[in-house]
Amino acid sequence: AQSVTQPDIHITVSEGASLELRCNYSYGATPYLFWYVQSPGQGLQLLLKYFSGDTLVQGIKGFEAEFKRSQSSFNLRKPSVHWSDAAEYFCAYGSSNTGKLIFGQGTTLQVKP
Amino acid sequence: DTAVSQTPKYLVTQMGNDKSIKCEQNLGHDTMYWYKQDSKKFLKIMFSYNNKELIINETVPNRFSPKSPDKAHLNLHINSLELGDSAVYFCASSTPLAGGGELFFGEGSRLTVL
């Protein structure tokens, strides 16, 4: 079955430390991949997206993600985390035919001072 | 100027009641969606409309009826509410993903069924 997996339900990092959030997908075709962030009580905001071309994509707020076809992964990274990055992070796969996004389970990021 | 706006933001109601959530987007997008986020924060698509036509219906109970009076509006009506309907409902709109588009989400409507 088609799926997007975020193996880490909850991650805690210290402020200033680096961050990597994992995402794996199980689709055969070239995927459209997204990372969204959800702050408490808020809607989802797009961090970055991958469609084609350069496999390392830059996003807002200093985030980047790398598409690795051989590993079916699209991991999100940030070199130095800020306290304001504490939020829920969602990876998603997009269908070009329907525009439907299939989301992973989400990863809760906690930032220690 | 809010791009995707939903009303109401909070809804508390009794089992068996009927309620509606309204959504409007001012982005000029042709496609709109309803997503449901459950208590474990899992997001699942319910419906999608393209230019007022239903294109995705993810086997949602027929107590849920979306309506799109025009391409800028997509409302969700829920009949005979059940406890399991308690969730946050998100409206979204998009340009075609194949063209490099993305989904823009509203802030959500938290429905609590007592």
Side-chain angles (χ1 to χ4, degrees):
Chain A
Q2 301 171 334
S3 67
V4 176
T5 303
Q6 294 179 242
D8 305 304
I9 303 297
H10 192 279
I11 281 184
T12 300
V13 299
S14 297
E15 191 168 15
S18 64
L19 171 71
E20 182 169 32
L21 302 182
R22 295 182 291 164
C23 174
N24 294 96
Y25 63 93
S26 61
Y27 298 95
T30 299
Y32 297 152
L33 296 164
F34 303 80
W35 275 100
Y36 280 86
V37 61
Q38 183 181 24
S39 298
Q42 300 294 313
L44 284 80
Q45 180 185 23
L46 181 72
L47 287 175
L48 46 78
K49 59 188 178 185
Y50 170 79
F51 285 81
S52 63
D54 193 347
T55 56
L56 184 63
V57 292
Q58 302 297 321
I60 63 170
K61 303 185 181 187
F63 285 93
E64 66 177 27
E66 187 170 12
F67 170 61
K68 293 185 178 179
R69 184 186 300 277
S70 61
Q71 298 176 19
S72 297
S73 69
F74 188 57
N75 295 348
L76 182 72
R77 300 193 294 247
K78 186 168 184 178
S80 177
V81 169
H82 187 262
W83 64 266
S84 61
D85 293 325
E88 193 78 20
Y89 290 80
F90 292 94
C91 180
Y93 166 92
S95 164
S96 60
N97 292 334
T98 64
K100 178 168 79 169
L101 286 193
I102 297 172
F103 285 87
Q105 306 94 311
T107 298
T108 303
L109 174 65
Q110 188 175 5
V111 180
K112 293 190 301 185
Chain B
D1 214 14
T2 305
V4 181
S5 58
Q6 303 177 222
T7 55
K9 192 164 184 178
Y10 299 98
L11 264 174
V12 181
T13 189
Q14 301 286 332
M15 277 176 53
N17 284 351
D18 304 338
K19 289 294 178 187
S20 292
I21 307 171
K22 295 186 176 182
C23 179
E24 176 182 4
Q25 56 99 0
N26 61 7
L27 298 168
H29 294 162
D30 285 342
T31 308
M32 295 185 72
Y33 311 79
W34 279 109
Y35 277 80
K36 179 181 180 180
Q37 186 174 45
D38 63 23
S39 58
K40 295 184 180 179
K41 298 192 177 178
F42 183 64
L43 278 154
K44 190 173 190 309
I45 190 168
M46 300 173 69
F47 301 104
S48 174
Y49 272 72
N50 184 267
N51 219 351
K52 303 192 297 177
E53 287 193 27
L54 180 68
I55 57 172
I56 296 175
N57 182 341
E58 290 285 307
T59 59
V60 177
N62 58 14
R63 297 182 296 104
F64 290 79
S65 52
K67 282 191 172 51
S68 182
D70 55 62
K71 74 174 194 177
H73 295 84
L74 180 60
N75 303 324
L76 183 65
H77 187 75
I78 316 170
N79 291 325
S80 304
L81 279 157
E82 300 176 357
L83 293 177
D85 298 332
S86 295
V88 182
Y89 292 85
F90 285 98
C91 177
S93 71
S94 77
T95 52
L97 295 190
E102 64 191 68
L103 268 66
F104 292 81
F105 285 84
E107 292 195 342
S109 297
R110 181 176 292 278
L111 172 64
T112 302
V113 183
L114 303 175

